[in-house]
Amino acid sequence: MPSEFVAARKKPPVEIRRVWAHNVEEEFRIIRNAIDHFPYVSMDTEFPGVIHRPTKHPALLTAGDRYDLLRRNVDALHLIQVGITLAASPTAAPALAFEINLSDFDQRVHRHAAESVQLLAEHGVDLAAHRRHGVRASALAPLLMSSGLVCSHGAVKWVTFHSAYDFAYLVKLLMGRKLPRSMAEFLNLVRVFFGDEVYDVKHMMRHCGGELYGGLERVAAALQVKRAAGRCHQAASDSLLTWDVFRRMRELYFLKHGVEAYQGVLFGLELDMDMPSNKTPSLPLVAAR
């Protein structure tokens, strides 16, 4: 096993590797060398909020309505960060974490939700540094395609939290064009790029006896999971926390029957959420993450 990630794996706590234009090729070389040994990937993104909002109560939205809202927002906005955490198995501690900083978003000229951009700034995201030193989306796409992370034919498993927007931004980036109008076509592209074993912790929470609810921070606190590194609302740090929350949830709620029944479903785009139910109505697709 190559020495650069053996050393990184042994280092507690996990170090977040910051990826900029000047080191992106070297960091992706590390990812390519590591992915066969650490095929479990937790992912998060940061983006400039949402500018299109529903015109009716979120509980009345169908999955198709929610996808249409997602598509309009993602097509209009720019990705800011991608965070990925690599682990060896579903029970293993995180081995490596990468925070990929993109340069395409410029709040001076691009549309955004002011409160979301302010929140990112308050949590340490330096948008001026992103513009000067970040990776262009057009350069990131081929690196992802050759990394072993995507189109892996089932070798890589993905763990996320409330990730329909996260996957939408990555699908848009990988295709180099706007999202398809059809939700079915979008979900097929998620399968093509990321495989069948995609787990959205927010969806899995619906099957934990009503004990878990809210955003990532609330769920982590309820499970007594501490943040391993970094700050909230930074993509790599949130991907680390997502991985540790998934491990703890799996141990507490899914050890007997496993998690396979919940793969391939993104929270907010579940077709069964359109069916009448006595359960509490689902939160909107862009609720707290």
Side-chain angles (χ1 to χ4, degrees), residues 51-52 67-78 165 168-169 172 175 177-181:
I51 56 173
H52 299 293
Y67 173 71
D68 187 60
L69 196 62
L70 172 152
R71 179 183 59 80
R72 290 164 57 209
N73 277 295
V74 172
D75 282 349
L77 301 173
H78 294 78
Y165 271 75
Y169 274 104
K172 174 188 169 185
M175 292 194 307
R177 60 179 184 269
K178 292 183 176 182
L179 294 174
R181 298 192 70 86

